[in-house]
Amino acid sequence: MLELAGVSLSFVGLTAVAGLDLRVADGTICSLIGPNGAGKTSVLNLISRFYTPQTGQVRFNERDLLKLPPHRVVEIGIARSFQSPTLFKNLSVLDNLLVGAAHLSKPSVVEDVLRLPRSRQHERLARERADHALEFLKLEAVRDRVAGDLPYGHQKLVDIGRALVADPRLLLLDEPAAGMEEAQKQWLANAIMHVPDEYGAAVLLVDHDMGVVLRVSDNVIVMNFGSKIFEGPPGEVRHQPQVLAAYLGTERGGTVHDAQA
Amino acid sequence: MIRARRRGLPWPLLAFGFAVAFPAAYGGNTAIMSVATQCLIYAVAAASLNLLMGYGGQVSLGHAGFLAAGAYTAAVVAIHFRLPLVPEILAAGLVAAAIGFVLGLPTGRLHGLYLVILTLGFGVAVPQIALNWTGLTNGWAGLAMPPTTLWGLDLTSQPTLYYCVLAVSWLCLLAMLSLVATRSGRIFMAVRDSEAAAMAMGVNVWRAKVKVFTTSAFFCGIAGDLLAHWTGLVAPTSFPFDLSLLFFSMVIVGGMGSIWGSLTGAVLLVVIADQAASVGGLSTAIIGGAVVLTLLVAPEGLASLPRVVSWRLRRMLEREAPGEIGRFRNRDQRVRKERRA
């Protein structure tokens, strides 16, 4: 479904991504891990078209993503959450989620002012999807709270919820578990695992938390210095010497789990 | 800034009832009716500016320019085409909207102070254009509005004009309220709060900004049409830069991101300006003082006043009945006293 081939991205004097190949299959959960500065977030920003790579191809369902402006990416089925929750901070949680549905139908300003059928239809659909996301992420209790006033963990969930409301075929999650408590992390991991069934979307997950990554992923890609150093099922990742080297700086025994602790 | 929706007293309904009943008390007093009409017209202009500033996150220091565009369109249309009132109002709105659209085009690149300068220049330029485009505007002498009738009613007579303005202005306020509660309005606010997130959710940020400029100008143009009927004469001197500043103050005093706040701010400042006019040269200073005073009491504008007052009240009540912290403090003092003894 999503396919990156030979993608390179460099900023002035700094290579963020170097000849990366990456595939995410329909309905699967793929994780991208690696030490800080490995280029994981850059990959997500490439896919959501905030960055344009110098070389390589990014295709989604046989469409060339690089020909699209950033605001068209969600229309073809890719929605994302942000590393630090980037919400509409003065809007309620519900309104934040409703914006997620903005691209699903587009009534004009006049239709919205007069509440013509297309406007009412959009509101109905958006509400339905938002209610579903509120339930899925257990956010009903904070539905009418101002998003900017919420605790960090809840803001991250609203960020994910907004992306789910957009009805994506591929959901990009940038460190969703960062800054969460252990219990909340476990619960979130569980929710992420249900995204493919519940929403029919594949997931590309970037995270540091090995517990979450190993539990939810069908496929794990390890990056270091902008390149892929390993790809395989989660069971094999923790025993790979090159992965351990990347995380610890030297080769030695133990597992990635130890490295995280 | 707009906060999550709250429920409370149906203030808009009460205000509307008050406005409808108003002429029963003061209908005979032409001066008071004139000020009341002015309040409603300026409320539409202030609310339209609030749509741009409070909801759209843009700035304009030239909204009097849109007002002028609407007023001149009204006069030209009424004089040359003798259109009925409703098409005339729409024409005034659409001409202003067209100008708003063009002015909104550079917003993709222009932010903050640069946008202030652009709109400022626009606001200052419009009266100059009106002054020099004599073929259309009749120069400094201005255009006199011909007597207009609506369904046989004479619009130059005071209570009739007031009710007509009340109907149109209330429709405009409700339209803006409807807008900000639907997808279009949410997109404006989304762009205001985070352009990156809005973009990721499929919003064309630049188009949203142009749209909010166009919509704001449309409603301000309608206010201009009403203004033309109210003054009876449209001249370049009717749209000074001060007027743009006055609308700006109304938005701030009323509260950014609150349509009803703009109505409140407009009523307050129009009434103060009217009262202060008799003091002579001091009127501007008095308005400025009123703005500062309001912001000291309610920094987020009058719209936030109920929230602030209820918060203060709750805190006062809590002081009467101290919670955990108060009790502990008492106990600590007691313990200390005992130790000393």
Side-chain angles (χ1 to χ4, degrees):
Chain A
M1 182 170 57
L2 177 76
E3 193 176 348
L4 273 70
V7 170
S8 295
L9 169 76
S10 51
F11 304 106
V12 188
L14 177 86
T15 303
V17 181
L20 182 73
D21 298 320
L22 183 153
R23 297 173 78 101
V24 181
D26 225 332
T28 61
I29 299 180
C30 177
S31 288
L32 203 54
I33 62 171
N36 281 326
K40 307 181 296 288
T41 296
S42 294
V43 172
L44 292 197
N45 283 340
L46 278 172
I47 299 168
S48 51
R49 294 291 292 115
F50 287 5
Y51 299 155
T52 300
Q54 277 81 17
T55 58
Q57 283 203 323
V58 184
R59 306 186 73 82
F60 183 73
N61 285 338
E62 305 310 314
R63 286 188 67 164
D64 187 358
L65 257 184
L66 298 180
K67 289 212 175 100
L68 293 180
H71 65 265
R72 298 281 310 279
V73 170
V74 72
E75 285 172 20
I76 66 166
I78 302 177
R80 70 169 296 170
S81 77
F82 292 83
Q83 189 170 1
S84 59
T86 308
L87 299 180
F88 309 122
K89 60 181 190 307
N90 295 301
L91 298 188
S92 71
V93 168
L94 178 65
D95 280 338
N96 266 277
L97 297 181
L98 291 176
V99 175
H103 74 97
L104 295 174
S105 71
K106 298 180 173 175
S108 67
V109 170
V110 177
E111 283 171 306
D112 273 342
V113 165
L114 302 175
R115 304 281 172 106
L116 297 181
R118 256 163 57 90
S119 169
R120 288 208 300 271
Q121 209 178 329
H122 178 90
E123 295 303 312
R124 206 161 39 235
L125 174 74
R127 263 310 272 274
E128 257 169 41
R129 294 200 61 87
D131 284 341
H132 191 272
L134 285 170
E135 197 193 323
F136 182 69
L137 293 170
K138 299 269 174 292
L139 286 168
E140 292 112 326
V142 294
R143 196 187 81 151
D144 296 316
R145 292 270 302 276
V146 175
D149 294 350
L150 292 179
Y152 191 77
H154 275 101
Q155 293 201 20
K156 298 221 76 153
L157 290 180
V158 175
D159 200 353
I160 297 168
R162 187 176 58 190
L164 284 174
V165 170
D167 197 16
R169 297 278 73 83
L170 172 67
L171 177 66
L172 310 176
L173 297 177
D174 200 349
E175 300 198 16
M180 283 189 179
E181 296 163 22
E182 199 50 44
Q184 209 178 3
K185 271 182 193 170
Q186 293 309 317
W187 178 82
L188 179 68
N190 209 26
I192 292 173
M193 282 167 80
H194 282 99
V195 165
D197 300 333
E198 195 77 18
Y199 283 92
V203 179
L204 178 57
L205 170 76
V206 164
D207 214 300
H208 279 297
D209 192 280
M210 275 301 159
V212 172
V213 166
L214 297 181
R215 195 166 145 218
V216 306
S217 311
D218 299 309
N219 188 27
V220 178
I221 293 166
V222 187
M223 280 180 79
N224 198 17
F225 298 115
S227 320
K228 181 161 71 181
I229 58 172
F230 175 77
E231 176 169 4
E236 292 173 21
V237 176
R238 53 175 82 185
H239 305 297
Q240 297 299 317
Q242 69 270 42
V243 175
L244 289 170
Y247 269 90
L248 296 170
T250 53
E251 290 189 30
R252 63 166 218 211
T255 66
V256 173
H257 249 289
D258 303 332
Q260 282 290 299
Chain B
M1 287 291 145
I2 191 171
R3 294 277 160 171
R5 262 166 250 140
R6 295 178 305 276
R7 298 190 204 299
L9 279 174
W11 288 112
L13 214 65
L14 293 177
F16 186 67
F18 177 76
V20 170
F22 192 75
Y26 296 100
N29 189 330
T30 339
I32 290 185
M33 286 311 295
S34 172
V35 172
T37 314
Q38 189 187 9
C39 283
L40 292 169
I41 297 170
Y42 281 24
V44 174
S48 79
L49 179 59
N50 203 342
L51 197 62
L52 183 80
M53 284 171 44
Y55 295 91
Q58 308 291 301
V59 207
S60 166
L61 275 184
H63 249 50
F66 296 125
L67 198 76
Y72 271 106
T73 308
V76 168
V77 163
I79 292 167
H80 297 293
F81 303 103
R82 303 218 160 263
L83 281 185
L85 188 68
V86 175
E88 176 205 292
I89 287 177
L90 284 177
L94 288 175
V95 167
I99 297 171
F101 173 78
V102 174
L103 208 64
L105 287 178
T107 51
R109 296 280 174 94
L110 287 181
H111 297 270
L113 288 175
Y114 300 96
L115 194 58
V116 170
I117 294 170
L118 174 78
T119 54
L120 184 93
F122 165 72
V124 173
V126 167
Q128 293 301 319
I129 295 169
L131 197 61
N132 292 299
W133 194 351
T134 44
L136 188 73
T137 63
N138 199 23
W140 63 268
L143 296 169
M145 284 297 284
T148 319
T149 55
L150 178 66
W151 301 308
L153 295 167
D154 177 17
L155 266 193
T156 46
S157 80
Q158 199 37 272
T160 321
L161 176 68
Y162 173 81
Y163 277 119
C164 176
V165 168
L166 177 64
V168 174
S169 60
W170 222 264
L171 280 178
C172 285
L173 294 179
L174 290 180
M176 284 185 251
L177 225 50
S178 170
L179 179 70
V180 298
T182 47
R183 175 181 172 275
S184 302
R186 277 196 302 273
I187 285 180
F188 295 160
M189 293 184 272
V191 169
R192 172 196 71 192
D193 281 0
S194 166
E195 291 191 10
M199 202 152 67
M201 293 336 292
V203 174
N204 184 334
V205 171
W206 177 56
R207 260 176 75 167
K209 287 179 181 176
V210 175
K211 266 187 200 167
V212 77
F213 248 95
T214 311
T215 317
S216 171
F218 175 79
F219 287 111
C220 199
I222 291 181
D225 182 292
L226 298 177
L227 189 85
H229 286 286
W230 175 63
T231 55
L233 178 78
V234 184
T237 47
S238 316
F239 311 98
F241 172 58
D242 308 25
L243 195 58
S244 297
L245 276 186
L246 186 66
F247 294 150
F248 192 89
S249 311
M250 286 170 178
V251 171
I252 303 291
V253 165
M256 296 258 276
S258 165
I259 297 291
W260 296 120
S262 291
L263 172 66
T264 324
V267 171
L268 186 77
L269 290 193
V270 166
V271 170
I272 289 177
D274 177 63
Q275 295 297 312
S278 55
V279 193
L282 279 176
S283 71
T284 317
I286 292 175
I287 295 174
V291 171
V292 172
L293 203 68
T294 323
L295 292 185
L296 282 176
V297 179
E300 283 182 56
L302 290 172
S304 71
L305 207 55
R307 188 154 39 96
V308 173
V309 169
S310 77
W311 183 74
R312 288 260 162 88
L313 272 178
R314 217 176 316 139
R315 231 179 44 159
M316 261 169 58
L317 291 175
E318 273 166 17
R319 219 175 287 156
E320 293 286 319
E324 288 296 310
I325 296 169
R327 262 203 318 245
F328 275 115
R329 192 186 297 136
N330 287 343
R331 198 193 57 187
D332 286 350
Q333 279 167 356
R334 209 170 51 232
V335 170
R336 240 173 270 147
K337 249 183 228 162
E338 282 165 8
R339 273 197 203 135
R340 241 176 280 147

